[in-house]
Every structure is written in C-alpha cells, then in structure tokens.
Amino acid sequence: MIEITAIPALQDNYIWVIHDNSHAAVVDPGESEPVLAFLRTRNLQLDAILCTHRHGDHIGGIAALREVYNVPVYGRRHTKNPHITNDLYEGAQVKLAALDIEFDIIEVPGHLDDHIAFITPGFVFCGDVLFGGGCGRNFEGTPAQLHHSLQRLAHLPDSMRVYCAHEYTAANLRFALACEPGNQALQQRIAATQQLRAANQPTLPSTIALEKATNPFLRCTLPEIIHTLQHRGLTDTSELGVFTALREWKNHF
Ligand SMILES: [Zn+2]
C-alpha cells in the first residue's frame, strides 16, 4: 500500500515521500535532514530521488542524502544540477521496482525551461508549475510556454491528485478571489484552506478537478475573469492574453 507524505522543508516547501512499509522515493529534497529523520523514524530504505527542476530549494538536499543512500537521481541534467544520474526527457519512463510504480515524464517549461513532471495513474508531481490555486513564476521561456504546460496538466484526469512543491495555496486563493469574486467553489476552497492551515495541515495534494474549478490560471476563458481584467485595462482577451495579464498581475499582487 503506497502512501505519500509531505515533509515541510525550508520556508514553505514540501518534500513528498512516496513509500510503503519498507521502501521510499523522495521528490525534490531541498534539504536532507528532515528526509533522513523521516526515513529513520519509519525505518524506510531510500531507493530513488526524483527531481522536477534545478532550483536550489528542490535540489539542496540531494548531495547529503546520497552520502547516506547512494541511489539514482531522476531528472534533467544541467550544469546547475549535476546530481542527476538518469537524464529524463518527454516520453521517458521511470520505474521504481521496489515500490511497483512507473512514472511517465512530460516536459512542462515556463517556470524553468527544463522543468519536468512525474505522472503515474492517480497522481502527478508537478514541482513549481502548478500550485494550489496558482502557478509558478515565469522565470524562463514565454507565458505561452507556461500556459501550454498548465493546459497539459489541466487535461489530466479530474480525479488525479496534484502534489505541488510549495504551500502557497492561501495566498494564491486571495488572488483568485480578486479575479473571480463570484466563484462559489473558490469561496468554499478558501474556507477549507483556512481550516487546514489553522490546524497546521497541508492544503495539498489538490486535484485536477479542484484546480480547474478554482485556479484562475486554468480559467482564462471565464467571463468573470476576463471582465475583471478588462476593468484593469486588458484589451487582448484571447486565452493567452488573459493568462499573460493574470501572471503579470499576480507578480505584483
Ligand atoms: Zn522553482
């Protein structure tokens, strides 16, 4: 029976651990100590490290983890991420035999050019591309690339659970409400998020269905969002025009 556990790390990162009673794989270990502590407490053997992208808060713990567990590191090799042992591209597969899991790899550029996502039936690890109620910043590439990447994730099955790498949901939903004050599903999600955070619980994983219902970056054709942006001076009401304006507004929100 597979479990997926969030290890809070650094400022607001989640390091996701995929595990059963004896084996584990870890996603985006930005630091090593909390992962090592978790593995020791649960008496788990680390089998693999998965890496969605090369930002320091996602790879900072890899070297120290590999001093203890000399395991493969799956991701995209880059001069700024030399830890990768298994270089992954669109269409690649990652088989974790001990956990009986196989991931399909898709490329999702737009936060960074070489960002990838790990998909397996039922769940996706999407790093900093899609967040609860929001999306990653457009550090590299174009808004069109980021939009396309988000649309690929949005077309995954509704029930698929979305494991994002940061606890940004509450702040993202405040922005979402400014975009779309009449969205009832969004209002419900804000209430649920407040309860979870008050209890110091993660607001993640989300689901594709919940994101499509509440995340403005996946709702760029909705009239209320378009109207909100028109009041802010938007003239290009194409889906990409709306997306680009949302991303720009959120940067300063
Ligand atoms: Zn990042």
Side-chain angles (χ1 to χ4, degrees):
M1 182 69 181
I2 292 289
E3 267 187 80
I4 303 175
T5 302
I7 299 179
L10 302 168
Q11 189 89 353
D12 45 33
N13 284 69
Y14 287 131
I15 301 170
W16 295 105
V17 185
I18 310 157
H19 60 100
D20 57 16
N21 287 326
S22 52
H23 294 271
V26 65
V27 185
D28 287 356
E31 56 181 348
S32 59
E33 295 83 359
V35 177
L36 292 169
F38 180 83
L39 296 171
R40 258 186 249 116
T41 304
R42 299 287 191 105
N43 198 23
L44 296 170
Q45 167 71 41
L46 187 66
D47 288 326
I49 297 169
L50 311 182
C51 194
T52 64
H53 69 295
R54 64 183 132 85
H55 276 152
D57 59 322
H58 297 253
I59 68 172
I62 294 177
L65 282 175
R66 291 192 80 228
E67 285 174 15
V68 182
Y69 300 96
N70 187 21
V71 296
V73 185
Y74 296 93
R76 177 65 60 79
R77 195 174 290 133
H78 188 279
T79 50
K80 290 181 177 158
N81 187 6
H83 313 287
I84 301 298
T85 61
N86 294 63
D87 203 8
L88 300 179
Y89 288 85
E90 176 79 29
Q93 291 188 321
V94 173
K95 191 168 173 57
L96 303 179
L99 288 163
D100 195 23
I101 291 183
E102 200 165 308
F103 290 100
D104 291 316
I105 303 306
I106 64 167
E107 295 177 355
V108 280
H111 175 66
L112 291 184
D113 285 339
D114 50 357
H115 199 302
I116 58 173
F118 294 80
I119 299 174
T120 194
F123 47 98
V124 54
F125 295 94
C126 56
D128 286 358
V129 173
L130 177 61
F131 290 130
C135 73
R137 282 180 187 261
N138 193 193
F139 286 121
E140 291 180 349
T142 62
Q145 283 178 309
L146 182 58
H147 179 253
H148 182 254
S149 296
L150 288 165
Q151 283 301 310
R152 289 192 73 185
L153 295 173
H155 282 84
L156 294 170
D158 275 352
S159 62
M160 187 169 270
R161 280 169 292 164
V162 180
Y163 291 85
C164 320
H166 287 272
E167 181 58 69
Y168 289 159
T169 311
N172 284 339
L173 295 181
R174 280 194 292 278
F175 176 72
L177 192 66
C179 298
E180 208 180 2
N183 181 339
Q184 289 191 356
L186 174 59
Q187 292 159 9
Q188 286 168 11
R189 188 178 187 185
I190 288 170
T193 295
Q194 284 169 345
Q195 283 189 350
L196 286 167
R197 295 312 293 151
N200 204 24
Q201 294 294 310
T203 62
L204 302 166
S206 172
T207 63
I208 294 295
L210 183 59
E211 294 309 322
K212 288 197 298 194
T214 59
N215 187 327
F217 293 96
L218 305 184
R219 295 171 62 76
C220 294
T221 59
L222 272 287
E224 190 180 7
I225 292 182
I226 295 171
H227 288 152
T228 299
L229 288 168
Q230 283 176 319
H231 281 296
R232 296 178 51 83
L234 180 76
T235 52
D236 176 4
T237 57
S238 69
E239 188 171 349
L240 181 58
V242 171
F243 177 82
T244 304
L246 280 178
R247 189 54 270 178
E248 178 61 24
W249 182 17
K250 177 67 168 63
N251 288 342
H252 310 291
F253 186 76

